[in-house]
Amino acid sequence: MNPLPIPAADPMPLPAPVWLLKSLLLLTFFLHVLFMSGMLGGAVVAVTSAIRGETDKKFAMLARRVVGILPVLMASTITLGVAALLFVQVLYGQMLYASSILMGVAWFALIPIVIVGYYGFYWASNKSSLRGLGLGVLLVFVVGLIFTNNMTLMLAPERWRAMYSAGAAGLHLNFDELSLVPRYLHMMLGSVAMGGLLVVILGLREKKIEVRAWLLRQGSLWFVVATAANIVVGFWFLMTLRSEVRDLFMGRSKVATALMIAGMLLPIGAIVHLVLGLSGKKADRQAMAGIGAAVLTVALMVGMRDIVRTGYLNPVFRAGEMAVSSQWGVIGLFFLLFVGGLVTLGWMVRKVAAASQQKA
Amino acid sequence: MNYPVWQLGIPGGLLIAFIAVIHVFVSHFAVGGGAYLVLTERKAYRENDAALLSYVREHSKFFALLTVVFGAVTGVGIWITIGLVSPEATSSLIHTFVWGWAIEWVFFFVEIAAILIYAYNWDTLDKATHLKIGWIYFVAAWMSLAIINGILTYMLTPGTWLETKQFWDGFFNPTYWPSLVLRTLFAMALAGVFGLFTATDLDGAVREKTVRWAGRWLLIGMVLTPLAGIWYAAKLPAFAKQYFLELTSPQHTVRMVLACTTVAAVLALLAMIRPQWWRRPVLTLALLASFAALAGGEYLREFSRKPFAIANYIYANDVRVASVNEIADSGGMLKHAKWLREANGSLVDYGHQVYAMQCSNCHSISGYRALRTRVRGWDPQFAAAIVPSLHLTRGPMPEFAGDKQDAAALGTYLATLAPMTITIQSGNEAESGQEVFEMRCAMCHSIHGRMRPLSLAGGDVDAIVTMTNMLPDVNPQMPPFTGNDSERHALAVWLSAQK
């Protein structure tokens, strides 16, 4: 009997080289995280603003604006998440299906939870319901927790057999994993920071100088506080990683270490830019630089996350060792249609932007 | 064998069906409804009808809210569910068609963006651009159907893919075109139903006009769908066609689907001729009839594919067809099933695990497709002997993938589910004989009909009794007769009396 119950590789070869699938996985996941964090963080900002807005009109205005874009952010999050889920399945299906089944109830529950949370945001957006907003935020936090559970459980095949023997009804979660809580908090705090950036972006688009300055200040404040806290949580996360993976970031791997250093410096840079933007001149440029640094940080984090995944799986499973038989014709067709889709999307968005400007 | 089994107590197949049917209901509406939106909008402009325009505006918001959230998330939900229930088959589909899904995803994001822009920019965009975006939505939505249709139909009729393993051979398979036409027509019918849904509570002249208009969509869709259904049925694989001839469950479902389609078509006619009669109760009936027709159709498609998840490639219990012999001949499940729990020495417990891995995707113990009623009276010896021949019994069953020990374990477990002894009443042997027949023979044999008929009418009772002693010699796939002598005799008396 196999000591670790790792499913055998699918007899069908991978239909594309690993680098291509991996690139698309990382790209779509990066975009997914951008929208997800904007949505989740934006919703957190909106809830607190809506509560403060009962006595302060400015906060009510802020809440209204953020809530208005939550449904679109949610739609983008899901759409991009679907792509990432597709590519993670083709590369890591063996691990992911097994861990999903062990926590089948929670994994299945994603479907109703996302639907209700999504409608909560629509409810909040169409009827300015605080209850709908609160429900949406709460459920999105639960969705994140379920994902963190599965994304760590798929890396821990050494726990699988004991879990399955203890019960096969799919009621497990992965709270035995030391890195689970800091990993989850790291993601969630990062999202709150990105919610702050969303407010900064709203500020940059605002024409009334006074409102604009207030929005920039509010957004920057959220970003700075959340990011400062997140640097601490990030260290906690690093300390809870399995030692051979942690070592990669502390010198053993040059790439991982460079990412680690850049990943610490960039958010500090973003904080500096945003704070300078509040106090000094060229507020716009500073804010833009801050946003750029933050977005780049997210990209680095996505890369580091992949190093963690590969490092954890390395002793038991390597995507690079799977057989490959590329379907180049279909791949070409996909890229052709993908470009066509982007052009169509761009055309539609431009039309709407132009028309709204004309109206205004 | 490769993956753990999610043992929730209800068959996983039922869970997939549940999510899939509600998704398909909304997603077909999302396709047909796209054409309905733009054509209704165009009609409103052409006829300069402000009331109709205001209706289609409201309808578009309802449409976006239903399709973007519920339609899209339940679609992802199917993925999540099939990964939980049939990971082996899902992995195979993903490896074969990841680029098909990637292409579908392109249409998906265009579709989502287009409908959100369409539904929420009636006042900002000029008429021509707004209509164009509506068309973009419809084309993208239909294309995503056209892509997923290739993957879905492949599962039932993989065609030449089984030999070539080439993407397009699997994609443009024998049922691709009939299924695409069938689904497009049904999407049109659903556009009508949902058009009626939002039109029912309108006031004034626009109400009758809209009810007539939406009714026409429903009528055309419902009249043409069965014709496409015939085309589709003609392309079914031979094993599936056989089910429709032999088994009552698909036969009843076909009747139910036709009845529901007829009801919906008649109601559509009513909407066109007497729109003033179109009220909520009628609407409810039309919604129910359409939903039942669709659910029945999906059930038939799933049933036709039994015992496979991917025809002739992976069984519905996630066992690969090609690996059955290897598992049976070299080491059985002890060697091949990675997720067997440590044996605690109990054959029943081991048998329960075999059940979980090979039966529980389709069978529950006492609920849906209950085993308890199917193994009534089985004893361990009989059960162990019949398990390897299950694919020869009535109804679509996969081959058993295991060795003698696995069959014995499963048999021992199954024998605990519904033990029964038949008491032979001395004055009424014939009636008891029928009971014996039901318990020991009827899963493979009938008296008349198609299923291995036993024509022993007028046969010598003693000769029949002798034969029951040597069943495995008559046919090695037959289990031994494990009843006692009085059962044998009663059975023989009864068989001999059948005409």
Side-chain angles (χ1 to χ4, degrees):
Chain A
M1 204 183 283
N2 189 343
L4 288 181
I6 294 175
D10 199 288
M12 288 294 290
L14 287 178
V18 173
W19 62 263
L20 179 59
L21 295 167
K22 185 60 108 33
S23 308
L24 285 168
L25 168 61
L26 295 186
L27 175 69
T28 51
F29 183 71
F30 163 66
L31 294 172
H32 165 71
V33 169
L34 280 189
F35 282 93
M36 179 283 288
S37 58
M39 176 263 296
L40 175 54
V44 171
V45 173
V47 168
T48 55
S49 304
I51 293 168
R52 289 174 79 177
E54 283 169 8
T55 50
D56 188 336
K57 272 187 186 164
K58 270 193 291 197
F59 281 101
M61 174 272 297
L62 172 57
R64 232 182 5 259
R65 286 197 188 182
V66 175
V67 164
I69 50 177
L70 285 181
V72 172
L73 289 175
M74 185 70 153
S76 312
T77 302
I78 293 178
T79 307
L80 292 159
V82 168
L85 188 62
L86 175 64
F87 293 118
V88 81
Q89 280 186 84
V90 72
L91 282 173
Y92 299 101
Q94 281 150 278
M95 312 305 289
L96 182 60
Y97 296 133
S99 61
S100 302
I101 291 165
L102 292 172
M103 50 177 287
V105 170
W107 194 239
F108 184 77
L110 279 177
I111 307 162
I113 293 175
V114 170
I115 290 175
V116 174
Y118 201 161
Y119 277 124
F121 285 156
Y122 264 110
W123 183 18
S125 152
N126 293 348
K127 311 264 179 210
S128 45
S129 154
L130 184 58
R131 242 186 278 173
L133 182 59
L135 181 73
V137 174
L138 185 75
L139 293 182
V140 170
F141 271 115
V142 174
V143 169
L145 189 60
I146 294 173
F147 266 97
T148 308
N149 265 282
N150 204 0
M151 293 301 108
T152 52
L153 186 57
M154 70 175 268
L155 306 181
E158 70 280 0
R159 288 201 189 105
W160 293 352
R161 197 182 287 286
M163 278 184 174
Y164 192 57
S165 296
L171 290 166
H172 301 285
L173 287 168
N174 195 31
F175 282 101
D176 286 347
E177 169 67 46
L178 276 182
S179 71
L180 182 129
V181 172
R183 180 174 171 136
Y184 177 64
L185 285 180
H186 201 50
M187 273 286 201
M188 296 302 112
L189 270 175
S191 298
V192 172
M194 297 301 278
L197 280 194
L198 184 71
V199 177
V200 172
I201 293 170
L202 287 179
L204 289 173
R205 294 166 62 93
E206 171 62 45
K207 296 226 167 63
K208 282 185 203 146
I209 292 172
E210 201 178 317
V211 180
R212 178 192 180 91
W214 185 79
L215 285 174
L216 288 181
R217 169 175 292 278
Q218 285 300 320
S220 302
L221 203 64
W222 276 102
F223 180 84
V224 170
V225 172
T227 303
N230 218 8
I231 291 174
V232 179
V233 174
F235 272 110
W236 177 19
F237 182 23
L238 183 67
M239 289 306 122
T240 54
L241 288 179
R242 205 186 280 162
S243 61
E244 65 266 26
V245 175
R246 183 174 59 223
D247 290 348
L248 294 175
F249 293 102
M250 301 176 82
R252 186 173 296 170
S253 154
K254 278 181 191 145
V255 177
T257 311
L259 283 176
M260 182 83 206
I261 292 168
M264 284 188 295
L265 294 180
L266 267 172
I268 294 173
I271 290 177
V272 171
H273 279 299
L274 286 171
V275 171
L276 284 177
L278 291 184
S279 48
K281 287 181 212 163
K282 295 183 187 163
D284 285 14
R285 207 174 284 176
Q286 296 285 12
M288 297 291 282
I291 293 169
V295 170
L296 200 56
T297 309
V298 174
L300 295 184
M301 293 294 157
V302 168
M304 287 162 74
R305 179 176 174 277
D306 186 62
I307 292 174
V308 171
R309 174 183 283 165
T310 315
Y312 266 67
L313 289 181
N314 193 47
V316 291
F317 172 83
R318 291 172 197 176
E321 288 172 2
M322 289 192 278
V324 173
S325 169
S326 300
Q327 302 169 347
W328 286 116
V330 196
I331 296 172
L333 182 64
F334 161 72
F335 277 103
L336 215 65
L337 289 167
F338 184 52
V339 172
L342 287 181
V343 170
T344 312
L345 184 66
W347 179 82
M348 291 192 294
V349 171
R350 256 203 335 275
K351 282 283 175 189
V352 175
S356 334
Q357 215 155 34
Q358 220 166 26
K359 287 271 171 203
Chain B
M1 299 281 166
N2 240 336
Y3 290 93
V5 181
W6 187 23
Q7 294 163 49
L8 200 59
I10 51 170
L14 202 59
L15 212 56
I16 297 178
F18 174 72
I19 295 282
V21 166
I22 52 178
H23 169 72
V24 165
F25 194 58
V26 176
S27 62
H28 281 66
F29 165 52
V31 174
Y36 180 81
L37 279 175
V38 267
L39 289 177
T40 310
E41 183 187 0
R42 198 177 67 173
K43 186 177 163 72
Y45 293 147
R46 284 191 176 163
E47 296 169 11
N48 211 1
D49 188 335
L52 185 63
L53 191 64
S54 135
Y55 156 77
V56 71
R57 279 175 74 136
E58 286 310 307
H59 186 67
S60 75
K61 283 177 193 152
F62 157 77
F63 181 94
L65 217 51
L66 183 63
T67 60
V68 170
V69 182
F70 200 81
V73 179
T74 49
V76 186
I78 294 183
W79 247 11
I80 286 186
T81 316
I82 62 173
L84 287 170
V85 173
S86 305
E88 191 79 32
T90 308
S91 165
S92 185
L93 286 175
I94 292 272
H95 276 75
T96 311
F97 289 116
V98 65
W99 294 110
W101 263 301
I103 289 171
E104 193 209 358
W105 174 76
V106 170
F107 292 110
F108 177 61
F109 78 65
V110 172
E111 183 184 338
I112 299 278
I115 194 58
L116 290 177
I117 291 173
Y118 181 87
Y120 294 98
N121 288 284
W122 286 88
D123 294 322
T124 29
L125 292 167
D126 63 273
K127 288 177 187 175
T129 311
H130 192 258
L131 275 173
K132 261 184 217 160
I133 288 177
W135 281 119
I136 289 175
Y137 168 76
F138 170 65
V139 171
W142 186 82
M143 280 306 295
S144 65
L145 169 67
I147 305 286
I148 198 67
N149 180 61
I151 301 172
L152 198 60
T153 50
Y154 151 89
M155 293 170 72
L156 174 59
T157 50
T160 53
W161 178 91
L162 289 169
E163 290 93 53
T164 64
K165 301 282 193 291
Q166 294 298 308
F167 182 96
W168 295 113
D169 290 340
F171 190 86
F172 290 114
N173 61 75
T175 50
Y176 179 85
W177 293 108
S179 167
L180 185 61
V181 171
L182 179 70
R183 289 180 182 281
T184 305
L185 289 169
F186 202 81
M188 191 173 170
L190 283 185
V193 172
F194 280 97
L196 287 162
F197 179 77
T198 46
T200 303
D201 287 342
L202 292 174
D203 289 318
V206 67
R207 183 180 181 282
E208 291 199 359
K209 181 176 185 174
T210 318
V211 166
R212 275 207 182 95
W213 165 245
R216 200 191 302 172
W217 286 68
L218 179 58
L219 183 67
I220 297 172
M222 284 298 179
V223 169
L224 295 180
T225 301
L227 299 179
I230 294 171
W231 181 22
Y232 179 78
K235 299 282 179 185
L236 286 176
F239 68 82
K241 283 182 182 157
Q242 206 63 20
Y243 301 152
F244 289 85
L245 296 175
E246 283 175 0
L247 301 171
T248 51
S249 146
Q251 288 167 353
H252 288 322
T253 312
V254 168
R255 283 184 209 115
M256 188 276 282
V257 169
L258 287 178
C260 289
T261 318
T262 312
V263 167
V266 168
L267 292 179
L269 212 57
L270 177 81
M272 290 166 65
I273 302 169
R274 291 277 182 275
Q276 65 275 20
W277 291 357
W278 191 270
R279 298 289 164 194
R280 281 187 188 179
V282 190
L283 168 74
T284 310
L285 190 61
L287 272 169
L288 287 177
S290 320
F291 185 78
L294 176 112
E298 295 293 332
Y299 172 82
L300 287 174
R301 181 184 53 74
E302 285 285 320
F303 197 98
S304 301
R305 210 179 58 215
K306 294 284 173 315
F308 302 106
I310 299 170
N312 295 310
Y313 189 63
I314 296 180
Y315 281 121
N317 59 8
D318 235 21
V319 173
R320 288 174 183 272
V321 175
S323 62
V324 168
N325 287 340
E326 195 198 334
I327 295 169
D329 298 341
S330 71
M333 291 179 64
L334 262 186
K335 180 176 164 199
H336 294 274
K338 293 203 159 142
W339 290 79
L340 270 181
R341 279 183 276 114
E342 296 297 324
N344 60 6
S346 142
L347 204 57
V348 174
D349 174 61
Y350 181 49
H352 177 81
Q353 293 192 58
V354 178
Y355 153 76
M357 279 185 228
Q358 298 210 32
C359 324
S360 70
N361 253 12
C362 304
H363 292 283
S364 65
I365 300 298
S366 339
Y368 183 69
R369 292 203 180 116
L371 280 184
R372 224 182 269 286
T373 58
R374 284 167 169 78
V375 301
R376 221 162 49 92
W378 287 18
D379 56 79
Q381 190 196 355
F382 171 83
I386 201 172
V387 156
S389 307
L390 282 178
H391 59 292
L392 303 171
T393 59
R394 285 173 180 228
M397 290 278 284
E399 294 169 272
F400 180 69
D403 60 12
K404 277 207 171 128
Q405 188 194 347
D406 302 326
L410 179 59
T412 308
Y413 169 69
L414 292 178
T416 64
L417 294 179
M420 197 177 81
T421 45
I422 297 177
T423 325
I424 307 296
Q425 302 152 333
S426 52
N428 201 355
E429 262 200 320
E431 200 172 295
S432 306
Q434 182 172 3
E435 270 184 68
V436 176
F437 177 82
E438 300 290 343
M439 185 168 107
R440 303 196 182 277
C441 321
M443 72 284 304
C444 298
H445 294 284
S446 58
I447 296 299
H448 307 289
R450 291 166 179 274
M451 201 62 200
R452 298 190 191 90
L454 288 179
S455 39
L456 296 165
D460 177 49
V461 170
D462 288 335
I464 299 177
V465 167
T466 312
M467 199 166 72
T468 60
N469 276 313
M470 43 192 285
L471 295 182
D473 301 325
V474 174
N475 178 344
Q477 283 162 329
M478 283 231 269
F481 187 91
T482 49
N484 58 29
D485 285 346
S486 47
E487 276 189 41
R488 279 178 212 278
H489 197 260
L491 175 66
V493 168
W494 185 75
L495 282 174
S496 158
Q498 296 309 303
K499 283 179 186 148

